[in-house]
Amino acid sequence: MEPWSIDWSGRLEERIFQSALLAGNPLGDPSQRPVLVYLPPGYDEDPYRRYPSIYVLQGYLGQVDSWRNRKPFERNFPEVVDQLFARGEAPPAVVVFVDAWTSLGGSQFLDSPATGRYHSYLSDEIVPWIDGEYRTLAAAGHRGVMGHSSGGYGAMVTSMLRPDLFGGFASHAGDALFELCYQPEFVQVVRALRENYGGSYERFWTDFNARGTLGRPTDFILLEHWCMAASYSADPDGSVHLPFDLTTGKLVPETWERWLAWDPVRMVPGHAQALRELRAIYLDAGRKDEYSLDLGAQAMHAALNQIGVTDVHFELFDGGHMGIGHRYPIALAYLLERLG
């Protein structure tokens, strides 16, 4: 069947979940979401066996169905997961692919009055639903979360906020050390608005919504930074505040501090006990990451060491931010060796 499909050893289910927490979200995005659930080989043969679970979070602009996209001569990640278990290279597990897309391109897996309650959606709806629908080992010590980029960010932050649910995480180039991964791009946002939209985000949204697609070179960076502001620095009424002046690019200190409060590196001291209780922590990034997230991973590793968390898999590898799917099964196997 290759290159169009594989002969599965386990199976991949596509389920639909109706979220009460996402209903009426500020962006009007769907509250009914697809969830992909991978069940390992042997799941249907022994009705009494229970399995650890790993939750996989997508990066910015990712939608859950993107996990099934394939590149020439490569298997997609669910297929790689199946191969990993079929070869006995990791303890079998239930692997859950979660959708937290928004019409801003993402949610950072946080609760925000500007986007919706995506942290609570994952933690308080999806996790208990999976435990009720499938034979999981329903305890934090057997449950992990992993992701790349914004998904890696979500994995780090979710584990700190909910150690009662997650016993480990893996972050591939997760957003961290915000002054390096975000702040250098602020000037690009200011220039893009000045040159194309008279310095106005409102004009950008009018143009973008009329087109409905990423068709201009500056679309990505304008969309991304608005999404981050909606995630990190929105008021209770949903008003979004950027951490820099749109004319000069000068930092707005009080808003920038709101962003920094959500920087995983800076969150570590306040969540030290939760991090010390985790059974598995995996950090990696490409040495030439275009967003300096190799340095973010290093800073996260150093912050963990400072609170006495030294049993961490930390690795920098040759590569950049994209094209690192070959790292995912390494992290998955590491988590399951610790959480299985």
Side-chain angles (χ1 to χ4, degrees), residues 180-192:
L180 293 188
C181 70
Y182 293 144
Q183 189 175 350
E185 295 185 335
F186 293 170
V187 63
Q188 298 178 46
V189 174
V190 172
R191 287 172 174 167

Side-chain angles (χ1 to χ4, degrees), residues 2 27 45 53-54 64 72 74 83 127 145 149 176 224 248 283:
E2 294 187 19
L27 296 173
E45 298 168 9
S53 56
I54 302 295
V64 72
E74 294 183 21
Q83 184 179 62
V127 168
V145 58
S149 196
E224 178 192 31
T248 65
L283 300 168

Side-chain angles (χ1 to χ4, degrees), residues 115-291:
T115 58
R117 299 180 63 188
Y118 287 89
H119 169 71
S120 295
Y121 163 69
L122 168 62
S123 302
D124 298 331
E125 288 190 323
I126 294 297
V127 168
W129 178 68
I130 290 293
D131 287 342
E133 292 286 310
Y134 299 95
R135 296 194 315 276
T136 60
L137 292 165
H142 300 290
R143 190 185 293 119
V145 58
M146 63 180 289
H148 168 234
S149 196
S150 284
Y153 172 85
M156 290 187 284
V157 172
T158 300
S159 298
M160 284 191 268
L161 296 177
R162 295 301 301 267
D164 59 313
L165 291 181
F166 295 98
F169 71 81
S171 170
H172 302 285
D175 298 10
L177 204 61
F178 285 4
E179 63 266 41
L180 293 188
C181 70
Y182 293 144
Q183 189 175 350
E185 295 185 335
F186 293 170
V187 63
Q188 298 178 46
V189 174
V190 172
R191 287 172 174 167
L193 289 173
R194 181 186 66 194
E195 298 303 318
N196 300 292
Y197 302 104
S200 168
Y201 247 109
E202 289 76 12
R203 292 182 184 176
F204 164 70
W205 286 118
T206 299
D207 176 53
F208 180 78
N209 291 330
R211 291 183 282 114
T213 183
L214 290 169
R216 292 178 180 264
T218 59
D219 283 347
F220 176 82
I221 198 164
L222 293 175
L223 190 64
E224 178 192 31
H225 283 273
W226 187 268
C227 178
M228 299 306 145
S231 301
Y232 303 141
S233 54
D235 288 345
D237 65 359
S239 300
V240 175
H241 298 277
L242 288 153
F244 53 92
D245 183 88
L246 290 181
T247 301
T248 65
K250 182 180 178 181
L251 279 180
V252 179
E254 59 272 22
T255 308
W256 180 231
E257 287 300 320
R258 295 176 69 181
W259 281 46
L260 293 180
W262 284 110
D263 182 349
V265 175
R266 291 170 169 84
M267 290 176 67
V268 166
H271 298 274
Q273 188 56 41
L275 288 161
R276 293 187 188 113
E277 293 173 359
L278 296 182
R279 298 173 61 182
I281 298 177
Y282 178 106
L283 300 168
D284 76 7
R287 294 179 182 275
K288 297 179 180 179
D289 188 280
E290 293 85 346
Y291 303 97

